[in-house]
Amino acid sequence: MHHQFLILDPRKWAMLLIFLVGYVAISGCKSVKPGRHNAFANDGYKLVWADEFNKTGQVDTSVWKFENGFVRNQELQWYQRENAWCEKGLLIIEGRKEARPNPNYTAGSRDWRRSRPNISYSASSINTSGKRAWTYGRFVMRGKIDIGDGLWPAWWTLGVNKQWPSNGEIDIMEFYKKMLLANIACGTATPNKAEWYSKTYNIDSLGGKKWAAEFHVWRMDWDENAIALYVDDTLLNKVELSKLVNKDNSGFNPFKQPHYMLLNLAIGGMNGGDPSKTPFPNRFEVDYVRVYQKG
């Protein structure tokens, strides 16, 4: 049998190859979320790190650490690995109702972590402490939050040096008691007492349950001059770094050092409210987190 071969000049072969590579990338759309690398090129930013959560199963422990047990703010949830995983291109952090003994219970203890005989709720908290940290940049997270009573989802950062709050805290996304918050905190002369620069927004003013049923994009722009916090490109809070020097006569500015990030779903506690009438399980879902820097 006689075969005829189609002969293309080298330029046409090159064009065909480019087309095929592009087709493969697009057809595997969950493994490549288009536009992330050059999303902010016009503003002079380059992507330096991202987690797209494009896998099924465990969170990447080369990047993320888990908190365990009862941790802070007298919150009701017991943090554990089982409540965070990746599926369908998303990070899932799930809050659950539990009924089991607290393994650290000590009768008569004055430590709230040990004085509770039982675990009533569980969730997860992951962070990049000791693995990834950044000084300045544009931080972006696309996520969906549940606004049920008692739920306290957050995406935030902490500085790597000094004890809280002198290490500095930035709450890029925080929600509780029907309020969306954008907070920045530095240290004071009193140990464990923060100076807060906070803005709060009633969730109903944003659209309530209908708004919360959709994914939204939270962003922080942080440079040597100021920290600005946004949701869906709407400015929520902006504070000049000159105001954020610790008020302890140290001269230390906790926002001129690297910060690591945290993603968590808390329940109840000092700020979270009462979850007793909220259906469980429920979820904080994250499509991606990205960090861009200039230069």
Side-chain angles (χ1 to χ4, degrees):
M1 182 181 289
H2 179 69
H3 296 275
Q4 287 188 326
F5 293 92
L6 179 64
I7 300 174
L8 296 178
D9 68 48
R11 288 174 299 176
K12 290 183 178 179
W13 275 116
M15 291 176 65
L16 179 61
L17 181 61
I18 290 170
F19 170 80
L20 290 172
V21 169
Y23 176 80
V24 170
I26 293 169
S27 63
C29 60
K30 261 305 174 186
S31 63
V32 178
K33 291 170 183 169
R36 66 173 185 156
H37 290 283
N38 59 1
F40 304 110
N42 290 342
D43 296 334
Y45 286 101
K46 294 180 181 178
L47 183 72
V48 296
W49 178 83
D51 196 334
E52 305 287 321
F53 304 111
N54 287 327
K55 55 184 289 189
T56 298
Q58 292 187 341
V59 174
D60 184 355
T61 53
S62 71
V63 174
W64 301 101
K65 293 169 63 174
F66 284 85
E67 294 191 281
N68 295 288
F70 295 126
V71 178
R72 65 178 70 84
N73 301 324
Q74 299 185 32
E75 294 159 3
L76 300 180
Q77 82 288 336
W78 177 272
Y79 280 139
Q80 58 189 25
R81 284 174 173 255
E82 294 91 331
N83 293 52
W85 68 92
C86 301
E87 68 174 42
K88 298 179 181 178
L90 300 173
L91 166 68
I92 308 297
I93 301 180
E94 188 169 81
R96 301 172 184 164
K97 218 165 190 176
E98 299 270 0
R100 55 192 172 94
N102 175 5
N104 299 326
Y105 173 65
T106 304
S109 174
R110 294 184 178 182
D111 183 343
W112 66 272
R113 298 169 182 84
R114 297 181 175 276
S115 62
R116 295 175 178 173
N118 298 307
I119 296 167
S120 299
Y121 299 90
S122 66
S124 269
S125 176
I126 62 175
N127 66 73
T128 66
S129 175
K131 295 176 181 285
R132 299 287 191 281
W134 307 267
T135 307
Y136 309 140
R138 175 168 285 177
F139 293 58
V140 184
M141 183 271 287
R142 182 174 185 265
K144 183 170 71 169
I145 62 173
D146 191 312
I147 60 170
D149 291 343
L151 301 182
W152 187 355
W155 176 44
W156 49 305
T157 77
L158 291 171
V160 299
N161 293 314
K162 296 189 178 289
Q163 295 295 312
W164 187 91
S166 296
N167 59 339
E169 176 178 332
I170 309 169
D171 302 320
I172 312 171
M173 186 285 292
E174 184 174 21
F175 169 84
Y176 56 73
K177 292 181 180 176
K178 302 187 184 304
M179 296 185 301
L180 191 70
L181 302 98
N183 307 320
I184 303 165
C186 60
T188 66
T190 304
N192 303 313
K193 183 178 180 180
E195 179 177 68
W196 289 97
Y197 295 79
S198 301
K199 297 286 186 179
T200 61
Y201 300 83
N202 188 289
I203 201 72
D204 290 337
S205 72
L206 299 173
K209 290 183 178 179
K210 184 177 180 181
W211 184 90
E214 304 293 332
F215 280 84
H216 298 278
V217 176
W218 281 267
R219 186 177 99 231
M220 170 172 67
D221 286 355
W222 167 32
D223 60 25
E224 61 274 13
N225 298 312
I227 298 168
L229 307 177
Y230 301 81
V231 63
D232 297 331
D233 294 325
T234 297
L235 179 65
L236 301 179
N237 195 4
K238 185 174 182 178
V239 181
E240 303 297 319
L241 256 63
S242 60
K243 297 180 179 179
L244 296 171
V245 177
N246 287 333
K247 309 308 187 292
D248 57 3
N249 296 317
S250 68
F252 183 79
N253 191 318
F255 304 101
K256 294 186 176 182
Q257 67 165 336
H259 277 230
Y260 64 92
M261 73 170 65
L262 306 91
L263 287 161
N264 68 275
L265 175 58
I267 301 167
M270 295 168 65
N271 292 328
D274 180 7
S276 62
K277 296 181 181 179
T278 297
F280 284 85
N282 41 61
R283 293 179 171 187
F284 172 23
E285 300 180 352
V286 181
D287 185 16
Y288 56 75
V289 286
R290 300 171 182 167
V291 180
Y292 299 81
Q293 291 181 324
K294 291 186 176 182

